[in-house]
Amino acid sequence: MKPASFEHIPVTSVDEALAALDGGAGEAKVLAGGQSLVPMMNLRLALPATLVDLNPVTGLDYVEETPDGISIGAMTRQRTVERSEVVMRRVPLLSAALRHVGHFQIRNRGTVGGSIAHADAAAELPAVLLATGGSVTVVSAARGPRAILAADLFRGHFETSIEPDELLTEVHVPAPANGARWGFREFARRHGDYALAGVAVVTTGAGADIDEAAVSLFGVGTTPVRAAAAEREIVATGSPEAAATAVVDEIEPTGHIHGSGDYRRYLAGRLTRRAVAEAIGGSPA
Amino acid sequence: MNTRELSLVLNGVPARAVVETRKTLADVLREDFGLVGTKLGCEHGVCGACTVLVDGAAVRSCLLFAVQVEGLSVDTVEGLSATGELSEVQEAFRRHHALQCGFCTPGLLMSVTEYLRDADPADDDELRDALSGNVCRCTGYQGIVDAVRQLVDDRRSADADG
């Protein structure tokens, strides 16, 4: 239960971080909030030779209102974002989802960029980024900055399209269109645990007249996934139950000791029904 | 062995040590500074026994390397009663029998100390939600909830009188 030895490189700027990553020959890991990486190091599931510690960096800690939504510096603590008035106003779905991330002591330390770069398939923030059609900015010393859409970011459990010499510096969450509504549900066996299944829903349109729907499931595959068939059902029928049925048909979660694949599929359906009902109104049963 | 000189403000007093970079803050507090009030339970951030304040924020000291608190202030359970008097949170825990074996108590005290700074829970559900990051296997939590509820109520009536 004690981490193996490593070289600790605290950096004070993005440039320093990139130089350290470049020098790490692929063996360097970025340390952000450490709320996922350090447990893995304590358990010796992760044995990085070098940790590039972003905590002393200034200028990566902000929440900014933009014309189309919000931009969040990668090192902004989850608790700061959870309490941000701008976030509650522009992307209330994100505020709601953050309250499910660990406990407040974890969110005091955990960062928005870290959670997304870590890409746990059962984590809330990647699913919200996918539901809102968000993106991240990554930067490398050799190639400069580039944007990656959420849809192109998550490749597998703990796996993203961010290259080893790249650093995630900013997260962009578009604010849903005027009149957009949202729902968020997850089920975990204990408060603060990763969800056995969860869902983030965003809809636009008035009443039962839905123009667009996004249904983003987490904890049911190797990445967060958009449930395309459920989205079509919501637009076509406005029915939470039809969305739930579509979800059950289109996912194939695997089982583990906390729940069988069938149970998690059932859960995803029920949670989708509730989240869609929460978004568009109707009975949450 | 990777080591580094560390200086911090520990329970309000400047402190220094030479520490291994791989050591967590929890281990350095216990082994290098002899502050064994901070407990280690799960060592992966779930149980909350190791919770301390870093620059006033309640965090898991098992998920932070000691070298990361360079120049920061760290408060542990030992600092709560540094004057010899119990803090108001400790006093409320004592009065409401909010502990039995005591292993989770230091972490709970630190979490509650931060939580009460600006919390105004609407009901016991919200309060229990805030307490859910600290696992207690003895009390069934009722005494803990009672203690924190009393602290919240006391502060509200003090605010109303003030």
Side-chain angles (χ1 to χ4, degrees), chain A residues 36-117:
Chain A
S36 298
L37 177 58
V38 181
M40 292 172 90
M41 291 177 65
N42 284 352
L43 297 165
R44 299 211 180 188
L45 296 171
L47 300 160
T50 303
L51 283 189
V52 179
D53 184 354
L54 295 185
N55 287 279
V57 173
T58 49
L60 284 183
D61 177 6
Y62 56 86
V63 177
E64 230 170 57
E65 190 165 7
T66 64
D68 73 333
I70 51 170
S71 290
I72 303 171
M75 283 300 289
T76 313
R77 306 291 170 188
Q78 291 155 359
R79 192 106 183 275
T80 305
V81 179
E82 174 192 350
R83 294 172 154 193
S84 156
E85 183 275 326
V86 171
V87 175
M88 283 183 211
R89 185 161 44 77
R90 297 299 303 275
V91 197
L93 167 63
L94 179 57
S95 310
L98 276 164
R99 288 194 284 276
H100 292 269
V101 178
H103 306 281
F104 80 84
Q105 300 91 338
I106 301 294
R107 301 193 295 272
N108 267 340
R109 192 76 198 161
T111 65
V112 170
S115 175
I116 288 169

Side-chain angles (χ1 to χ4, degrees), chain A residues 8 15 30 78 146 149 175 178 182 195 220 240 256 262 284:
Chain A
H8 177 246
D15 286 345
V30 174
Q78 291 155 359
R146 68 178 174 124
L149 289 171
N178 273 340
W182 58 272
V220 301
H256 54 45
D262 282 347

